Amino acid sequence: MNTHAHYDHFFGNAVFADDGVTEFWAHANCAAAIERDADNQRRFVATNEPEMAAGEGDAVDIVVPNALVHDQPVLVDLGGVTATLFYLGRAHTDGDLLVGTSSTLFVGDLVEQGAHPSFEDSYPEEWADALRHISALRHRYEFLVPGHGKPASDEFVKTMADTMSTAVRQATQSIRDMPSDATKAIPVLPYGPEQSRWFIKRLQETNAQGRTSLATPDFGPEKTGFYPS
Ligand SMILES: [Zn+2]
């Protein structure tokens, strides 16, 4: 299952395919992005994985997910463990898929511990909403596993959401005050210079596109017992 279409989260698919895995899950937008853009992302691994970068060697094929999730959650039986794959709307990318088990929520790069969030393909305003949504699910899961770093607390997720909302307000104000040079806001934002630059760029681009309404997953009746209360 691929949480989103960034190379460090799906370049390993070919290894599983070589081992006989045939079912690769992802959100439909993620699969479309992998199909469209994966070869272009090979350059990011030129130093660490030259074979993958060149597309020559073992397990270097791009495997596009073939089992797709859209707005509705999907239950996958892993044999004694049921995983729920679900989408909370656009955030880190337009195709972030989360995985919940009876104990653990895997959130991909919606949450990053130990580094600034990556905004290159993001929808900053909607991302802050998605983080609040994750926090609202805190009683269902004992553990939250981010896309990078150590397991995170609900406090961490809430802080990340608040920081992002504050950054949205600050950057929106700067864009309004200095439309010709919104990059003046970079030193004010709570992220590194590079990520702040992306943050402002994506905020401008996504505001121009307009928002989509956040998908509200239907988890079904509680009595199914998939979640501890
Ligand atoms: Zn990512």
Side-chain angles (χ1 to χ4, degrees), residues 172-222:
T172 303
Q173 187 62 43
S174 298
I175 292 167
R176 216 174 281 144
D177 292 349
M178 295 167 287
S180 57
D181 189 13
T183 53
K184 289 229 163 62
I186 288 174
V188 188
L189 293 178
Y191 305 116
E194 174 70 10
Q195 282 312 321
S196 295
R197 199 179 301 279
W198 276 110
F199 184 87
I200 291 166
K201 185 170 187 291
R202 289 300 296 167
L203 198 60
Q204 287 175 307
E205 287 171 357
T206 56
N207 281 349
Q209 286 167 21
R211 295 190 59 155
T212 55
S213 60
L214 193 72
T216 306
D218 173 11
F219 288 100
E222 288 284 329

mmCIF file of all heavy atoms in Angstrom, residues 172-222:
data_model
loop_
_atom_site.group_PDB
_atom_site.id
_atom_site.type_symbol
_atom_site.label_atom_id
_atom_site.label_comp_id
_atom_site.label_asym_id
_atom_site.label_seq_id
_atom_site.Cartn_x
_atom_site.Cartn_y
_atom_site.Cartn_z
ATOM 1 N N THR A 172 -0.978 34.314 4.032
ATOM 2 C CA THR A 172 -2.103 34.910 3.304
ATOM 3 C C THR A 172 -2.061 36.430 3.454
ATOM 4 O O THR A 172 -2.268 37.180 2.491
ATOM 5 C CB THR A 172 -3.443 34.362 3.843
ATOM 6 O OG1 THR A 172 -3.427 32.944 3.734
ATOM 7 C CG2 THR A 172 -4.622 34.901 3.033
ATOM 8 N N GLN A 173 -1.749 36.882 4.672
ATOM 9 C CA GLN A 173 -1.649 38.321 4.929
ATOM 10 C C GLN A 173 -0.526 38.937 4.081
ATOM 11 O O GLN A 173 -0.712 39.976 3.455
ATOM 12 C CB GLN A 173 -1.373 38.542 6.430
ATOM 13 C CG GLN A 173 -1.424 39.997 6.866
ATOM 14 C CD GLN A 173 -2.801 40.603 6.636
ATOM 15 O OE1 GLN A 173 -3.811 39.975 6.920
ATOM 16 N NE2 GLN A 173 -2.838 41.819 6.088
ATOM 17 N N SER A 174 0.616 38.251 4.044
ATOM 18 C CA SER A 174 1.752 38.775 3.261
ATOM 19 C C SER A 174 1.433 38.818 1.778
ATOM 20 O O SER A 174 1.829 39.756 1.080
ATOM 21 C CB SER A 174 2.983 37.907 3.464
ATOM 22 O OG SER A 174 3.363 37.923 4.794
ATOM 23 N N ILE A 175 0.726 37.795 1.309
ATOM 24 C CA ILE A 175 0.372 37.767 -0.117
ATOM 25 C C ILE A 175 -0.545 38.953 -0.413
ATOM 26 O O ILE A 175 -0.423 39.611 -1.447
ATOM 27 C CB ILE A 175 -0.308 36.423 -0.479
ATOM 28 C CG1 ILE A 175 0.702 35.274 -0.375
ATOM 29 C CG2 ILE A 175 -0.912 36.485 -1.893
ATOM 30 C CD1 ILE A 175 0.082 33.877 -0.400
ATOM 31 N N ARG A 176 -1.454 39.241 0.535
ATOM 32 C CA ARG A 176 -2.375 40.369 0.359
ATOM 33 C C ARG A 176 -1.602 41.694 0.391
ATOM 34 O O ARG A 176 -1.818 42.573 -0.423
ATOM 35 C CB ARG A 176 -3.413 40.341 1.485
ATOM 36 C CG ARG A 176 -4.793 40.778 1.031
ATOM 37 C CD ARG A 176 -5.816 40.590 2.144
ATOM 38 N NE ARG A 176 -6.263 39.210 2.277
ATOM 39 C CZ ARG A 176 -6.551 38.600 3.437
ATOM 40 N NH1 ARG A 176 -6.405 39.241 4.581
ATOM 41 N NH2 ARG A 176 -6.983 37.374 3.449
ATOM 42 N N ASP A 177 -0.673 41.825 1.350
ATOM 43 C CA ASP A 177 0.064 43.086 1.512
ATOM 44 C C ASP A 177 1.056 43.326 0.379
ATOM 45 O O ASP A 177 1.243 44.456 -0.056
ATOM 46 C CB ASP A 177 0.849 43.079 2.839
ATOM 47 C CG ASP A 177 -0.076 43.110 4.041
ATOM 48 O OD1 ASP A 177 -1.288 43.357 3.841
ATOM 49 O OD2 ASP A 177 0.400 42.861 5.168
ATOM 50 N N MET A 178 1.734 42.252 -0.019
ATOM 51 C CA MET A 178 2.792 42.410 -1.040
ATOM 52 C C MET A 178 2.647 41.359 -2.120
ATOM 53 O O MET A 178 3.458 40.447 -2.220
ATOM 54 C CB MET A 178 4.172 42.264 -0.378
ATOM 55 C CG MET A 178 4.505 43.337 0.608
ATOM 56 S SD MET A 178 5.938 42.901 1.605
ATOM 57 C CE MET A 178 5.292 41.655 2.689
ATOM 58 N N PRO A 179 1.589 41.495 -2.929
ATOM 59 C CA PRO A 179 1.327 40.444 -3.924
ATOM 60 C C PRO A 179 2.515 40.215 -4.852
ATOM 61 O O PRO A 179 2.732 39.110 -5.344
ATOM 62 C CB PRO A 179 0.116 40.967 -4.700
ATOM 63 C CG PRO A 179 -0.269 42.269 -4.090
ATOM 64 C CD PRO A 179 0.676 42.611 -2.997
ATOM 65 N N SER A 180 3.318 41.287 -5.090
ATOM 66 C CA SER A 180 4.431 41.140 -6.035
ATOM 67 C C SER A 180 5.607 40.398 -5.403
ATOM 68 O O SER A 180 6.437 39.831 -6.099
ATOM 69 C CB SER A 180 4.885 42.515 -6.511
ATOM 70 O OG SER A 180 5.242 43.288 -5.387
ATOM 71 N N ASP A 181 5.691 40.413 -4.060
ATOM 72 C CA ASP A 181 6.816 39.729 -3.429
ATOM 73 C C ASP A 181 6.406 39.093 -2.101
ATOM 74 O O ASP A 181 6.817 39.525 -1.023
ATOM 75 C CB ASP A 181 7.986 40.699 -3.212
ATOM 76 C CG ASP A 181 9.236 39.945 -2.761
ATOM 77 O OD1 ASP A 181 9.240 38.695 -2.863
ATOM 78 O OD2 ASP A 181 10.187 40.584 -2.302
ATOM 79 N N ALA A 182 5.589 38.074 -2.201
ATOM 80 C CA ALA A 182 5.106 37.394 -0.999
ATOM 81 C C ALA A 182 6.236 36.659 -0.290
ATOM 82 O O ALA A 182 6.095 36.278 0.865
ATOM 83 C CB ALA A 182 3.995 36.423 -1.364
ATOM 84 N N THR A 183 7.385 36.493 -0.976
ATOM 85 C CA THR A 183 8.503 35.771 -0.345
ATOM 86 C C THR A 183 9.051 36.543 0.858
ATOM 87 O O THR A 183 9.805 35.999 1.649
ATOM 88 C CB THR A 183 9.667 35.553 -1.340
ATOM 89 O OG1 THR A 183 10.027 36.812 -1.902
ATOM 90 C CG2 THR A 183 9.270 34.593 -2.439
ATOM 91 N N LYS A 184 8.664 37.818 1.004
ATOM 92 C CA LYS A 184 9.054 38.594 2.193
ATOM 93 C C LYS A 184 8.562 37.916 3.470
ATOM 94 O O LYS A 184 9.087 38.158 4.553
ATOM 95 C CB LYS A 184 8.488 40.008 2.102
ATOM 96 C CG LYS A 184 9.172 40.863 1.046
ATOM 97 C CD LYS A 184 9.581 42.223 1.638
ATOM 98 C CE LYS A 184 10.613 42.923 0.778
ATOM 99 N NZ LYS A 184 10.081 43.230 -0.573
ATOM 100 N N ALA A 185 7.544 37.059 3.334
ATOM 101 C CA ALA A 185 6.990 36.380 4.515
ATOM 102 C C ALA A 185 7.876 35.227 4.982
ATOM 103 O O ALA A 185 7.705 34.730 6.091
ATOM 104 C CB ALA A 185 5.595 35.853 4.199
ATOM 105 N N ILE A 186 8.838 34.815 4.152
ATOM 106 C CA ILE A 186 9.622 33.607 4.464
ATOM 107 C C ILE A 186 10.236 33.625 5.868
ATOM 108 O O ILE A 186 10.092 32.660 6.611
ATOM 109 C CB ILE A 186 10.694 33.360 3.365
ATOM 110 C CG1 ILE A 186 9.988 32.870 2.093
ATOM 111 C CG2 ILE A 186 11.724 32.331 3.823
ATOM 112 C CD1 ILE A 186 10.891 32.721 0.899
ATOM 113 N N PRO A 187 10.895 34.756 6.264
ATOM 114 C CA PRO A 187 11.513 34.731 7.599
ATOM 115 C C PRO A 187 10.505 34.609 8.743
ATOM 116 O O PRO A 187 10.858 34.192 9.846
ATOM 117 C CB PRO A 187 12.231 36.085 7.678
ATOM 118 C CG PRO A 187 12.220 36.657 6.306
ATOM 119 C CD PRO A 187 11.122 36.001 5.552
ATOM 120 N N VAL A 188 9.256 34.978 8.492
ATOM 121 C CA VAL A 188 8.239 34.964 9.546
ATOM 122 C C VAL A 188 7.671 33.557 9.750
ATOM 123 O O VAL A 188 7.226 33.197 10.833
ATOM 124 C CB VAL A 188 7.073 35.907 9.148
ATOM 125 C CG1 VAL A 188 6.097 36.055 10.310
ATOM 126 C CG2 VAL A 188 7.598 37.245 8.682
ATOM 127 N N LEU A 189 7.697 32.768 8.693
ATOM 128 C CA LEU A 189 7.013 31.467 8.750
ATOM 129 C C LEU A 189 7.783 30.474 9.627
ATOM 130 O O LEU A 189 9.005 30.567 9.757
ATOM 131 C CB LEU A 189 6.841 30.900 7.328
ATOM 132 C CG LEU A 189 5.887 31.711 6.446
ATOM 133 C CD1 LEU A 189 5.803 31.117 5.044
ATOM 134 C CD2 LEU A 189 4.496 31.790 7.066
ATOM 135 N N PRO A 190 7.079 29.525 10.198
ATOM 136 C CA PRO A 190 7.696 28.614 11.177
ATOM 137 C C PRO A 190 8.423 27.431 10.542
ATOM 138 O O PRO A 190 8.636 26.407 11.192
ATOM 139 C CB PRO A 190 6.482 28.126 11.977
ATOM 140 C CG PRO A 190 5.357 28.181 11.012
ATOM 141 C CD PRO A 190 5.630 29.317 10.082
ATOM 142 N N TYR A 191 8.788 27.541 9.267
ATOM 143 C CA TYR A 191 9.466 26.437 8.584
ATOM 144 C C TYR A 191 10.823 26.916 8.076
ATOM 145 O O TYR A 191 11.102 28.113 8.099
ATOM 146 C CB TYR A 191 8.601 25.935 7.420
ATOM 147 C CG TYR A 191 7.209 25.550 7.859
ATOM 148 C CD1 TYR A 191 6.093 26.241 7.390
ATOM 149 C CD2 TYR A 191 7.006 24.495 8.746
ATOM 150 C CE1 TYR A 191 4.804 25.899 7.804
ATOM 151 C CE2 TYR A 191 5.731 24.147 9.169
ATOM 152 C CZ TYR A 191 4.637 24.850 8.689
ATOM 153 O OH TYR A 191 3.383 24.515 9.111
ATOM 154 N N GLY A 192 11.635 26.002 7.574
ATOM 155 C CA GLY A 192 12.914 26.390 6.978
ATOM 156 C C GLY A 192 12.667 27.221 5.735
ATOM 157 O O GLY A 192 11.578 27.208 5.167
ATOM 158 N N PRO A 193 13.694 27.973 5.276
ATOM 159 C CA PRO A 193 13.512 28.874 4.125
ATOM 160 C C PRO A 193 12.992 28.155 2.874
ATOM 161 O O PRO A 193 12.086 28.652 2.193
ATOM 162 C CB PRO A 193 14.901 29.451 3.879
ATOM 163 C CG PRO A 193 15.787 28.957 4.961
ATOM 164 C CD PRO A 193 15.044 28.009 5.830
ATOM 165 N N GLU A 194 13.558 26.979 2.588
ATOM 166 C CA GLU A 194 13.167 26.234 1.384
ATOM 167 C C GLU A 194 11.690 25.818 1.474
ATOM 168 O O GLU A 194 10.913 26.018 0.539
ATOM 169 C CB GLU A 194 14.084 24.998 1.255
ATOM 170 C CG GLU A 194 13.737 24.037 0.132
ATOM 171 C CD GLU A 194 14.036 24.639 -1.233
ATOM 172 O OE1 GLU A 194 14.676 25.701 -1.286
ATOM 173 O OE2 GLU A 194 13.605 24.042 -2.243
ATOM 174 N N GLN A 195 11.305 25.249 2.610
ATOM 175 C CA GLN A 195 9.916 24.799 2.748
ATOM 176 C C GLN A 195 8.953 25.985 2.842
ATOM 177 O O GLN A 195 7.817 25.906 2.386
ATOM 178 C CB GLN A 195 9.769 23.859 3.954
ATOM 179 C CG GLN A 195 10.261 22.444 3.664
ATOM 180 C CD GLN A 195 9.717 21.888 2.349
ATOM 181 O OE1 GLN A 195 8.569 22.098 1.991
ATOM 182 N NE2 GLN A 195 10.573 21.202 1.599
ATOM 183 N N SER A 196 9.414 27.112 3.412
ATOM 184 C CA SER A 196 8.558 28.303 3.471
ATOM 185 C C SER A 196 8.286 28.842 2.066
ATOM 186 O O SER A 196 7.182 29.283 1.754
ATOM 187 C CB SER A 196 9.215 29.389 4.324
ATOM 188 O OG SER A 196 9.314 28.940 5.660
ATOM 189 N N ARG A 197 9.329 28.774 1.242
ATOM 190 C CA ARG A 197 9.163 29.214 -0.151
ATOM 191 C C ARG A 197 8.086 28.356 -0.839
ATOM 192 O O ARG A 197 7.189 28.875 -1.514
ATOM 193 C CB ARG A 197 10.512 29.063 -0.875
ATOM 194 C CG ARG A 197 10.653 29.864 -2.144
ATOM 195 C CD ARG A 197 12.041 29.648 -2.743
ATOM 196 N NE ARG A 197 13.113 30.048 -1.830
ATOM 197 C CZ ARG A 197 13.514 31.311 -1.680
ATOM 198 N NH1 ARG A 197 12.965 32.279 -2.375
ATOM 199 N NH2 ARG A 197 14.481 31.601 -0.823
ATOM 200 N N TRP A 198 8.181 27.040 -0.675
ATOM 201 C CA TRP A 198 7.183 26.138 -1.261
ATOM 202 C C TRP A 198 5.796 26.378 -0.672
ATOM 203 O O TRP A 198 4.781 26.329 -1.372
ATOM 204 C CB TRP A 198 7.582 24.667 -1.026
ATOM 205 C CG TRP A 198 8.544 24.154 -2.035
ATOM 206 C CD1 TRP A 198 9.859 23.846 -1.842
ATOM 207 C CD2 TRP A 198 8.279 23.889 -3.421
ATOM 208 N NE1 TRP A 198 10.426 23.408 -3.004
ATOM 209 C CE2 TRP A 198 9.478 23.425 -3.989
ATOM 210 C CE3 TRP A 198 7.143 24.006 -4.224
ATOM 211 C CZ2 TRP A 198 9.582 23.075 -5.327
ATOM 212 C CZ3 TRP A 198 7.238 23.664 -5.565
ATOM 213 C CH2 TRP A 198 8.447 23.205 -6.096
ATOM 214 N N PHE A 199 5.778 26.626 0.634
ATOM 215 C CA PHE A 199 4.512 26.861 1.321
ATOM 216 C C PHE A 199 3.765 28.026 0.666
ATOM 217 O O PHE A 199 2.576 27.923 0.339
ATOM 218 C CB PHE A 199 4.802 27.160 2.799
ATOM 219 C CG PHE A 199 3.584 27.335 3.643
ATOM 220 C CD1 PHE A 199 2.972 26.243 4.238
ATOM 221 C CD2 PHE A 199 3.035 28.600 3.852
ATOM 222 C CE1 PHE A 199 1.836 26.396 5.024
ATOM 223 C CE2 PHE A 199 1.911 28.767 4.636
ATOM 224 C CZ PHE A 199 1.306 27.662 5.223
ATOM 225 N N ILE A 200 4.472 29.131 0.452
ATOM 226 C CA ILE A 200 3.856 30.328 -0.137
ATOM 227 C C ILE A 200 3.427 30.051 -1.573
ATOM 228 O O ILE A 200 2.319 30.392 -1.989
ATOM 229 C CB ILE A 200 4.848 31.515 -0.084
ATOM 230 C CG1 ILE A 200 5.035 31.935 1.375
ATOM 231 C CG2 ILE A 200 4.357 32.672 -0.930
ATOM 232 C CD1 ILE A 200 6.221 32.841 1.608
ATOM 233 N N LYS A 201 4.304 29.375 -2.319
ATOM 234 C CA LYS A 201 3.987 29.055 -3.720
ATOM 235 C C LYS A 201 2.713 28.218 -3.802
ATOM 236 O O LYS A 201 1.812 28.503 -4.577
ATOM 237 C CB LYS A 201 5.186 28.304 -4.331
ATOM 238 C CG LYS A 201 5.065 28.006 -5.810
ATOM 239 C CD LYS A 201 6.409 27.493 -6.340
ATOM 240 C CE LYS A 201 6.424 27.324 -7.849
ATOM 241 N NZ LYS A 201 5.572 26.237 -8.338
ATOM 242 N N ARG A 202 2.657 27.176 -2.974
ATOM 243 C CA ARG A 202 1.492 26.274 -3.021
ATOM 244 C C ARG A 202 0.228 26.956 -2.507
ATOM 245 O O ARG A 202 -0.864 26.706 -2.999
ATOM 246 C CB ARG A 202 1.773 24.993 -2.219
ATOM 247 C CG ARG A 202 2.784 24.078 -2.868
ATOM 248 C CD ARG A 202 2.350 23.617 -4.225
ATOM 249 N NE ARG A 202 1.128 22.789 -4.168
ATOM 250 C CZ ARG A 202 0.393 22.465 -5.211
ATOM 251 N NH1 ARG A 202 0.718 22.893 -6.427
ATOM 252 N NH2 ARG A 202 -0.681 21.719 -5.070
ATOM 253 N N LEU A 203 0.400 27.844 -1.526
ATOM 254 C CA LEU A 203 -0.767 28.575 -1.018
ATOM 255 C C LEU A 203 -1.345 29.451 -2.125
ATOM 256 O O LEU A 203 -2.563 29.503 -2.322
ATOM 257 C CB LEU A 203 -0.348 29.432 0.183
ATOM 258 C CG LEU A 203 -1.457 29.914 1.100
ATOM 259 C CD1 LEU A 203 -2.216 28.736 1.709
ATOM 260 C CD2 LEU A 203 -0.873 30.782 2.206
ATOM 261 N N GLN A 204 -0.453 30.109 -2.882
ATOM 262 C CA GLN A 204 -0.909 30.950 -3.989
ATOM 263 C C GLN A 204 -1.571 30.108 -5.074
ATOM 264 O O GLN A 204 -2.650 30.430 -5.563
ATOM 265 C CB GLN A 204 0.269 31.739 -4.576
ATOM 266 C CG GLN A 204 0.717 32.870 -3.670
ATOM 267 C CD GLN A 204 1.959 33.567 -4.193
ATOM 268 O OE1 GLN A 204 2.965 32.924 -4.483
ATOM 269 N NE2 GLN A 204 1.908 34.878 -4.297
ATOM 270 N N GLU A 205 -0.910 29.000 -5.442
ATOM 271 C CA GLU A 205 -1.452 28.157 -6.520
ATOM 272 C C GLU A 205 -2.779 27.534 -6.127
ATOM 273 O O GLU A 205 -3.711 27.486 -6.913
ATOM 274 C CB GLU A 205 -0.452 27.036 -6.859
ATOM 275 C CG GLU A 205 0.761 27.541 -7.619
ATOM 276 C CD GLU A 205 1.856 26.469 -7.749
ATOM 277 O OE1 GLU A 205 1.692 25.352 -7.199
ATOM 278 O OE2 GLU A 205 2.872 26.766 -8.380
ATOM 279 N N THR A 206 -2.862 27.022 -4.881
ATOM 280 C CA THR A 206 -4.079 26.298 -4.498
ATOM 281 C C THR A 206 -5.226 27.256 -4.220
ATOM 282 O O THR A 206 -6.381 26.914 -4.437
ATOM 283 C CB THR A 206 -3.829 25.394 -3.267
ATOM 284 O OG1 THR A 206 -3.330 26.178 -2.188
ATOM 285 C CG2 THR A 206 -2.842 24.302 -3.588
ATOM 286 N N ASN A 207 -4.922 28.489 -3.772
ATOM 287 C CA ASN A 207 -5.993 29.473 -3.626
ATOM 288 C C ASN A 207 -6.571 29.829 -4.979
ATOM 289 O O ASN A 207 -7.769 30.030 -5.112
ATOM 290 C CB ASN A 207 -5.484 30.746 -2.927
ATOM 291 C CG ASN A 207 -5.386 30.537 -1.430
ATOM 292 O OD1 ASN A 207 -5.889 29.540 -0.918
ATOM 293 N ND2 ASN A 207 -4.748 31.453 -0.739
ATOM 294 N N ALA A 208 -5.684 29.888 -5.980
ATOM 295 C CA ALA A 208 -6.147 30.207 -7.328
ATOM 296 C C ALA A 208 -7.060 29.097 -7.866
ATOM 297 O O ALA A 208 -8.012 29.354 -8.586
ATOM 298 C CB ALA A 208 -4.952 30.416 -8.248
ATOM 299 N N GLN A 209 -6.736 27.850 -7.474
ATOM 300 C CA GLN A 209 -7.540 26.707 -7.949
ATOM 301 C C GLN A 209 -8.872 26.596 -7.217
ATOM 302 O O GLN A 209 -9.804 25.967 -7.686
ATOM 303 C CB GLN A 209 -6.805 25.387 -7.692
ATOM 304 C CG GLN A 209 -5.634 25.118 -8.621
ATOM 305 C CD GLN A 209 -4.775 23.962 -8.112
ATOM 306 O OE1 GLN A 209 -5.234 23.136 -7.310
ATOM 307 N NE2 GLN A 209 -3.549 23.873 -8.574
ATOM 308 N N GLY A 210 -8.936 27.149 -6.019
ATOM 309 C CA GLY A 210 -10.135 26.992 -5.195
ATOM 310 C C GLY A 210 -10.066 25.707 -4.403
ATOM 311 O O GLY A 210 -9.318 24.792 -4.737
ATOM 312 N N ARG A 211 -10.814 25.676 -3.328
ATOM 313 C CA ARG A 211 -10.794 24.513 -2.435
ATOM 314 C C ARG A 211 -11.792 23.476 -2.883
ATOM 315 O O ARG A 211 -12.804 23.795 -3.463
ATOM 316 C CB ARG A 211 -11.186 24.936 -1.023
ATOM 317 C CG ARG A 211 -10.208 25.873 -0.388
ATOM 318 C CD ARG A 211 -10.555 26.044 1.070
ATOM 319 N NE ARG A 211 -10.522 24.765 1.743
ATOM 320 C CZ ARG A 211 -10.303 24.619 3.035
ATOM 321 N NH1 ARG A 211 -10.098 25.669 3.776
ATOM 322 N NH2 ARG A 211 -10.294 23.442 3.591
ATOM 323 N N THR A 212 -11.489 22.244 -2.552
ATOM 324 C CA THR A 212 -12.515 21.215 -2.690
ATOM 325 C C THR A 212 -13.011 20.929 -1.280
ATOM 326 O O THR A 212 -12.307 21.171 -0.314
ATOM 327 C CB THR A 212 -11.936 19.911 -3.262
ATOM 328 O OG1 THR A 212 -10.856 19.504 -2.438
ATOM 329 C CG2 THR A 212 -11.465 20.095 -4.685
ATOM 330 N N SER A 213 -14.193 20.440 -1.168
ATOM 331 C CA SER A 213 -14.675 20.151 0.177
ATOM 332 C C SER A 213 -13.963 18.908 0.693
ATOM 333 O O SER A 213 -13.654 17.984 -0.055
ATOM 334 C CB SER A 213 -16.178 19.935 0.176
ATOM 335 O OG SER A 213 -16.487 18.856 -0.661
ATOM 336 N N LEU A 214 -13.678 18.921 1.971
ATOM 337 C CA LEU A 214 -12.955 17.810 2.582
ATOM 338 C C LEU A 214 -13.836 16.569 2.605
ATOM 339 O O LEU A 214 -14.984 16.631 3.021
ATOM 340 C CB LEU A 214 -12.581 18.207 4.005
ATOM 341 C CG LEU A 214 -11.565 17.321 4.710
ATOM 342 C CD1 LEU A 214 -10.186 17.534 4.125
ATOM 343 C CD2 LEU A 214 -11.560 17.657 6.185
ATOM 344 N N ALA A 215 -13.275 15.484 2.162
ATOM 345 C CA ALA A 215 -14.046 14.240 2.188
ATOM 346 C C ALA A 215 -14.270 13.824 3.645
ATOM 347 O O ALA A 215 -13.359 13.872 4.452
ATOM 348 C CB ALA A 215 -13.277 13.155 1.463
ATOM 349 N N THR A 216 -15.457 13.467 3.981
ATOM 350 C CA THR A 216 -15.735 12.971 5.322
ATOM 351 C C THR A 216 -15.954 11.473 5.222
ATOM 352 O O THR A 216 -16.974 11.012 4.754
ATOM 353 C CB THR A 216 -17.003 13.626 5.903
ATOM 354 O OG1 THR A 216 -16.850 15.037 5.816
ATOM 355 C CG2 THR A 216 -17.184 13.236 7.347
ATOM 356 N N PRO A 217 -14.959 10.698 5.631
ATOM 357 C CA PRO A 217 -15.091 9.250 5.444
ATOM 358 C C PRO A 217 -16.226 8.693 6.286
ATOM 359 O O PRO A 217 -16.438 9.140 7.410
ATOM 360 C CB PRO A 217 -13.757 8.691 5.929
ATOM 361 C CG PRO A 217 -12.895 9.849 6.216
ATOM 362 C CD PRO A 217 -13.728 11.063 6.315
ATOM 363 N N ASP A 218 -16.898 7.769 5.715
ATOM 364 C CA ASP A 218 -17.963 7.087 6.436
ATOM 365 C C ASP A 218 -17.381 5.793 6.972
ATOM 366 O O ASP A 218 -17.076 4.881 6.218
ATOM 367 C CB ASP A 218 -19.121 6.826 5.462
ATOM 368 C CG ASP A 218 -20.184 5.960 6.107
ATOM 369 O OD1 ASP A 218 -20.117 5.755 7.330
ATOM 370 O OD2 ASP A 218 -21.060 5.485 5.372
ATOM 371 N N PHE A 219 -17.177 5.724 8.278
ATOM 372 C CA PHE A 219 -16.541 4.550 8.854
ATOM 373 C C PHE A 219 -17.528 3.432 9.123
ATOM 374 O O PHE A 219 -17.164 2.387 9.628
ATOM 375 C CB PHE A 219 -15.815 4.914 10.159
ATOM 376 C CG PHE A 219 -14.587 5.721 9.914
ATOM 377 C CD1 PHE A 219 -14.602 7.085 10.077
ATOM 378 C CD2 PHE A 219 -13.425 5.113 9.489
ATOM 379 C CE1 PHE A 219 -13.469 7.836 9.834
ATOM 380 C CE2 PHE A 219 -12.288 5.855 9.250
ATOM 381 C CZ PHE A 219 -12.316 7.225 9.418
ATOM 382 N N GLY A 220 -18.795 3.689 8.831
ATOM 383 C CA GLY A 220 -19.795 2.656 9.084
ATOM 384 C C GLY A 220 -20.164 2.635 10.545
ATOM 385 O O GLY A 220 -19.554 3.351 11.351
ATOM 386 N N PRO A 221 -21.116 1.822 10.895
ATOM 387 C CA PRO A 221 -21.579 1.758 12.277
ATOM 388 C C PRO A 221 -20.471 1.278 13.207
ATOM 389 O O PRO A 221 -19.691 0.408 12.852
ATOM 390 C CB PRO A 221 -22.750 0.784 12.246
ATOM 391 C CG PRO A 221 -22.610 0.033 10.966
ATOM 392 C CD PRO A 221 -21.831 0.873 10.011
ATOM 393 N N GLU A 222 -20.406 1.853 14.391
ATOM 394 C CA GLU A 222 -19.375 1.499 15.368
ATOM 395 C C GLU A 222 -19.445 0.019 15.745
ATOM 396 O O GLU A 222 -18.471 -0.585 16.103
ATOM 397 C CB GLU A 222 -19.539 2.339 16.635
ATOM 398 C CG GLU A 222 -19.136 3.803 16.455
ATOM 399 C CD GLU A 222 -17.636 3.990 16.423
ATOM 400 O OE1 GLU A 222 -16.919 3.222 17.061
ATOM 401 O OE2 GLU A 222 -17.180 4.901 15.717
#
